[in-house]
Amino acid sequence: MGPRPAVLEWMVWTAPTALVFAGLGALLCVMAVWAKLSPPVARRGFLRIETDRGDRLYIGLISAAVVLAGWIAVTDLSMWLALGCALLVAVVIGIWG
C-alpha cells in the first residue's frame, strides 16, 4: 500500500475511518441545504416526541452506533450484518420516528 495523503497525517486514520467521517460531513451539508430549501416541520412519530428531520437524523445516528457497539459486545457474527441492522434502524427512525 502506498504512502498516506498528507492531510491524514495529523492522526493515524485508516481509509474506512476517513470515509465514515467524510460521509457524515457530506450528510450534514446535505441536511443544511435541504433545511434552507425546505424548512423542517416538527411532527410526532413512534418516538412519541416532537421531532424534525434533524432530530430524527441525530437520534438515528446515535441508535445506529448503539446497535454497532452492542453487536460487538454480544456476538462474533459479521460486522456487515451489523451494519445492515444499524442502517435499518437509522432509516426506520428517520422515516417513521
Side-chain angles (χ1 to χ4, degrees):
M1 197 158 150
R4 278 185 271 172
V7 72
L8 298 177
E9 287 299 319
W10 67 275
M11 184 174 176
V12 184
W13 284 35
T14 62
T17 303
L19 287 173
V20 166
F21 280 97
L24 287 173
L27 181 61
L28 291 174
C29 290
V30 167
M31 290 294 288
V33 170
W34 188 12
K36 198 72 163 163
L37 295 175
S38 170
V41 177
R43 65 172 173 81
R44 282 182 195 232
F46 70 84
L47 294 174
R48 300 287 187 217
I49 57 174
E50 238 180 53
T51 59
D52 64 19
R53 329 183 250 266
D55 299 329
R56 290 188 300 275
L57 173 66
Y58 178 75
I59 294 168
L61 289 173
I62 296 299
S63 299
V66 168
V67 167
L68 291 169
W71 191 277
I72 291 169
V74 173
T75 184
D76 289 330
L77 294 175
S78 171
M79 284 304 293
W80 289 108
L81 187 56
L83 180 62
C85 291
L87 289 175
L88 180 65
V89 165
V91 167
V92 166
I93 289 173
I95 294 173
W96 296 292

